[in-house]
Amino acid sequence: MVEFICHLMCYWTSLIILLVLCLFLRPPGSHASVSYKPNIVLILADDLGIGDVGCYGNDTLRTPNIDRLAKEGVKLTQHIAAAPLCSPSRAAFLTGRYPVRSGMDAIDDSRVILWTGASGGLPPNETTFARILQQQGYMTGLIGKWHQGVNCESRNDHCHHPLNHGFDYFYGMPFTLVNECQITKRPEKNGVFRAKYWFYTQIIAIAVLTLGIAKLAGLVSVPWKIITCFAWFGLLFFASWFSSYGFTRYWDCIIMRNHEIIEQPMMVERTTSIILREVVSFIERNKHGPFLLFVSFLHVHTPLITTEMFRGKSRYGLYGDNVEEMDWMVGRVLDVIDKEGLKNTTLMYFASDHGGFLETHEGKAHLGGWNGIYKGGKAMGGWEGGIRVPGILRWPGVLPADAVIEEPTSLMDIYPTVAHLAGGRLPQDRVIDGRNLMPLLQGSAQHSEHEFMFHYCGVYLHAVRWHQKDSGALWKAHYITPVFQPEGAGACYNRRFCPCIGEGVTHHDPPLLFDLSRDPSEVKPLTPGTEPLFDTVIRRIESALQEHRRTLTPVPHQLSGHNNMWKPWLQPCCGIFPFCWCDKESGNPHTAL
Ligand SMILES: *[C@@H]1O[C@H](CO)[C@@H](O)[C@H](O)[C@H]1NC(C)=O
Ligand SMILES: *[C@@H]1O[C@H](CO)[C@@H](O)[C@H](O)[C@H]1NC(C)=O
Ligand SMILES: *[C@@H]1O[C@H](CO)[C@@H](O)[C@H](O)[C@H]1NC(C)=O
């Protein structure tokens, strides 16, 4: 008996000694947990293609600062956006959920928030990572583009505003850059929508008049409620048509600081330096941390606002100049972090919201990005070029340097990753699609937790990816693909961008199947003849898809026709509507950099 107890004690003692040894002798770089809350800087470029970046293989466009970030950190080669356009992709990034779950994806061809004065936007009951970190004692800031809506019911309710979504500080555009922001550029929004708005205004006016007269004459029994409803839509279309005449610059090109409008319209020639000034000052103000800063660049979206210093300097026209300027801005952000001694206590992240824009051009000049070997681009939900983006994380001493991870990861993964680092809890009452990246980044997990990924175009599922861990195969089945014009062009040059549904797409049954590990450019679809596993793979993907669909619940569509119309009473306005103008930035230093 004594002997047994002695053995037991001996056993426990050696176990404890072993454990203690393990704790102390852990090899560097495999820290299981970090004892402090790191600062977090998330940098998102707008419309940047994976093929535009030096460390992703571009040897003629200069991006030394992004490359340096990758050198000092981890480069993800299969980093996937949840949607191929700004508003839905960013909604997914902020919430860690596919945009269909928050209602932030399109049911028709209005696929992003179209007006600052629209009523759609990120619903107030969604919980962003900023909210979680704010509750964990972080100072949270957003500098740059938002594009997740502003108001719901009245001009200043700011229900969708960043400050209502967990950010303590906001400086930037509540909307997105459009050509109208730069007076010298050909208007984009006006031209595209005006004809449509005018057409509907006329049709509805005729319908309302006819119905009204027929009703008064006792010829039809349509209730007045329906006629009034028609008239209401007619008025909204009329307002949108009217406001598309040169007003866009005043309505949408605005800069806010917190709840206040600072510039209406914005002065684009000073925006870049002001954004940098704001980034530097946010970091300096909060260097005693912990802070979360989301730097959401207006670069490299058209109209490609580029300062004198970078114009004409790249090999790729205005687009290339703009990319090089954006890279320089990344360098400035890195410099401040390093200069303030925050390098080792800050997790830095760089990515793009979706793939480069192939169709955008001015005359012969291409004004969009390049997606390298990947097929397709912006607005295409299924093809790799629309959704595979650069993704880099740096945290010296905690994450390995100069490492490359080829496993599938998602922009939605940032959500649980930063929540975990801040010691926060994920919301338990909803599905979170992102996965904590730390085990993968630190090398304690070999495989990403994403076995399946669902690639949406609007609310329509276009493709499913299956990373088969044991075999290493990377299957992708396409159910719907856009019809390229001209055929094989990899883009829809006959339109502004490829559609998700309707006449411009092809449905595939059985789906088009590729193995990206052998065919990353998705050139040769597999067939049951060429791929013995064809049927097995399709069946497995089908069942995963059904399982995924069971987790979806219907929610209000934030981008519906009604939500996405210009509503005069929601238009943010500096002054007395409709006389909206101010410049509260003049006189402030904005060339300090
Ligand atoms: C580098 O980027 C430019 C601009 O997008 C593109 O035209 C060029 O093809 C890219 N080069 C390589 C090698 O990918
Ligand atoms: C930061 O971390 C790196 C890598 O672990 C280390 O070499 C360096 O000395 C650290 N710097 C500071 C200021 O702690
Ligand atoms: C938010 O509210 C909408 C209804 O207004 C509901 O359908 C949705 O499920 C809610 N979302 C969450 C995450 O609670």
Side-chain angles (χ1 to χ4, degrees):
M1 186 63 192
V2 175
E3 200 183 354
F4 173 73
I5 292 176
C6 187
H7 266 124
L8 205 67
M9 279 178 65
C10 198
Y11 171 78
W12 279 111
T13 323
S14 29
L15 205 70
I16 288 168
I17 292 175
L18 253 175
L19 265 175
V20 170
L21 273 179
C22 278
L23 278 178
F24 282 100
L25 295 182
R26 230 166 339 114
S30 69
H31 309 236
S33 65
V34 177
S35 57
Y36 60 93
K37 292 178 177 173
N39 303 311
I40 290 163
V41 177
L42 309 173
I43 306 177
L44 205 58
D46 197 359
D47 287 14
L48 178 73
I50 191 168
D52 292 326
V53 183
C55 59
Y56 284 89
N58 200 315
D59 48 10
T60 43
L61 200 53
R62 290 162 298 190
T63 58
N65 295 290
I66 301 171
D67 301 350
R68 174 179 136 212
L69 201 59
K71 196 100 198 126
E72 298 175 348
V74 183
K75 177 173 82 175
L76 305 171
T77 61
Q78 198 187 151
H79 198 45
I80 307 292
L85 284 172
C86 306
S87 298
S89 169
R90 287 156 188 265
F93 177 64
L94 288 158
T95 60
R97 289 145 56 78
Y98 285 112
V100 278
R101 298 198 195 277
S102 54
M104 283 295 281
D105 222 335
I107 42 179
D108 55 26
D109 58 359
S110 63
R111 294 172 59 187
V112 296
I113 304 274
L114 293 176
W115 308 91
T116 319
S119 55
L122 192 64
N125 65 353
E126 288 293 331
T127 305
T128 65
F129 56 69
R131 167 81 66 218
I132 299 182
L133 269 66
Q134 190 180 49
Q135 285 163 355
Q136 291 304 112
Y138 273 71
M139 184 57 84
T140 56
L142 164 63
I143 293 168
K145 163 170 168 167
W146 175 240
H147 211 186
Q148 301 290 310
V150 181
N151 293 319
C152 291
E153 285 168 1
S154 63
R155 200 181 310 288
N156 291 311
D157 68 31
H158 290 185
C159 68
H160 304 300
H161 189 279
L163 265 52
N164 202 33
H165 272 299
F167 288 99
D168 295 310
Y169 184 73
F170 169 55
Y171 186 98
M173 281 189 92
F175 193 58
T176 172
L177 278 182
V178 282
N179 273 356
E180 280 81 352
C181 299
Q182 200 166 20
I183 314 172
T184 50
K185 289 279 154 50
R186 180 169 46 97
E188 82 185 277
K189 216 167 117 176
N190 300 355
V192 176
F193 294 110
R194 189 179 297 155
K196 186 173 123 182
Y197 288 136
W198 183 231
F199 176 75
Y200 286 123
T201 307
Q202 287 172 307
I203 297 283
I204 293 175
I206 292 169
V208 168
L209 278 177
T210 318
L211 279 175
I213 292 169
K215 169 103 185 168
L216 288 176
L219 294 173
V220 290
S221 59
V222 186
W224 280 114
K225 237 166 96 183
I226 297 208
I227 301 178
T228 324
C229 180
F230 266 125
W232 179 246
F233 267 94
L235 267 178
L236 283 185
F237 276 117
F238 178 75
S240 298
W241 168 77
F242 172 75
S243 88
S244 72
Y245 274 93
F247 289 106
T248 297
R249 185 161 158 261
Y250 289 88
W251 295 158
D252 293 330
C253 303
I254 62 180
I255 296 279
M256 290 177 106
R257 169 180 284 119
N258 296 328
H259 289 298
E260 186 190 12
I261 299 175
I262 294 290
E263 293 181 340
Q264 186 168 22
M266 66 198 271
M267 304 289 158
V268 291
E269 58 288 343
R270 62 187 186 213
T271 305
T272 297
S273 63
I274 295 184
I275 284 189
L276 281 177
R277 181 198 76 195
E278 287 292 327
V279 167
V280 173
S281 110
F282 182 90
I283 295 173
E284 283 175 352
R285 282 201 308 276
N286 296 293
K287 63 181 171 195
H288 300 297
F291 65 82
L292 162 86
L293 176 60
F294 177 14
V295 183
S296 178
F297 283 140
L298 305 180
H299 291 62
V300 294
H301 197 289
T302 47
L304 303 170
I305 291 160
T306 312
T307 56
E308 201 56 48
M309 199 164 54
F310 286 91
R311 252 179 276 156
K313 297 287 157 61
S314 79
R315 282 206 211 169
Y316 299 102
L318 189 56
Y319 179 78
D321 300 347
N322 201 247
V323 172
E324 295 191 355
E325 180 171 76
M326 186 268 302
D327 176 78
W328 170 79
M329 294 172 83
V330 171
R332 301 312 304 256
V333 182
L334 288 176
D335 288 348
V336 198
I337 292 292
D338 297 1
K339 194 186 106 221
E340 295 294 344
L342 302 172
K343 185 170 177 176
N344 286 8
T345 50
T346 302
L347 171 68
M348 299 213 45
Y349 170 72
F350 176 85
S352 174
D353 57 352
H354 49 70
F357 196 178
L358 301 178
E359 287 91 350
T360 185
H361 62 88
E362 195 173 61
K364 283 213 172 75
H366 178 213
L367 296 183
W370 167 247
N371 301 311
I373 60 167
Y374 302 110
K375 184 183 282 187
K378 175 174 176 176
M380 297 176 221
W383 294 116
E384 211 64 3
I387 51 175
R388 194 189 279 227
V389 295
I392 300 168
L393 293 113
R394 181 191 84 167
W395 186 2
V398 177
L399 303 187
D402 206 8
V404 177
I405 292 178
E406 293 179 347
E407 291 283 304
T409 56
S410 166
L411 267 75
M412 297 186 287
D413 295 342
I414 294 306
Y415 185 96
T417 305
V418 300
H420 163 78
L421 292 173
R425 239 166 72 93
L426 296 181
Q428 301 296 307
D429 61 345
R430 63 197 72 183
V431 180
I432 301 289
D433 298 295
R435 295 287 174 262
N436 180 6
L437 284 173
M438 288 308 281
L440 188 65
L441 295 175
Q442 293 189 300
S444 61
Q446 286 309 302
H447 289 298
S448 140
E449 277 186 47
H450 292 286
E451 191 177 3
F452 294 93
M453 279 191 189
F454 303 94
H455 304 308
Y456 283 91
C457 188
V459 298
Y460 308 98
L461 183 105
H462 272 203
V464 179
R465 165 190 312 256
W466 178 25
H467 175 47
Q468 204 182 352
K469 291 177 192 169
D470 43 13
S471 76
L474 190 60
W475 307 105
K476 197 160 140 204
H478 292 261
Y479 293 84
I480 303 177
T481 55
V483 180
F484 291 147
Q485 186 67 256
E487 214 185 310
C492 303
Y493 291 112
N494 54 330
R495 306 168 172 253
R496 274 178 74 237
F497 47 72
C498 290
C500 297
I501 199 78
E503 295 201 336
V505 303
T506 313
H507 293 256
H508 303 278
D509 185 17
L512 285 183
L513 183 69
F514 299 92
D515 177 1
L516 298 193
S517 70
R518 286 175 278 165
D519 179 13
S521 305
E522 301 171 280
V523 179
K524 262 183 85 97
L526 303 167
T527 62
T530 58
E531 177 53 61
L533 291 173
F534 191 93
D535 292 321
T536 325
V537 171
I538 297 295
R539 266 201 308 277
R540 183 69 191 89
I541 287 179
E542 278 293 339
S543 79
L545 182 53
Q546 275 171 22
E547 219 172 288
H548 166 70
R549 288 206 158 121
R550 275 196 293 275
T551 70
L552 299 175
T553 46
V555 289
H557 291 300
Q558 299 298 325
L559 302 178
S560 68
H562 187 261
N563 274 335
N564 220 353
M565 265 191 246
W566 181 68
K567 310 217 168 85
W569 62 94
L570 297 186
Q571 175 61 52
C573 180
C574 197
I576 296 167
F577 187 82
F579 304 101
C580 311
W581 183 90
C582 62
D583 178 7
K584 300 183 186 166
E585 198 62 74
S586 73
N588 284 352
H590 55 262
T591 46
L593 297 149

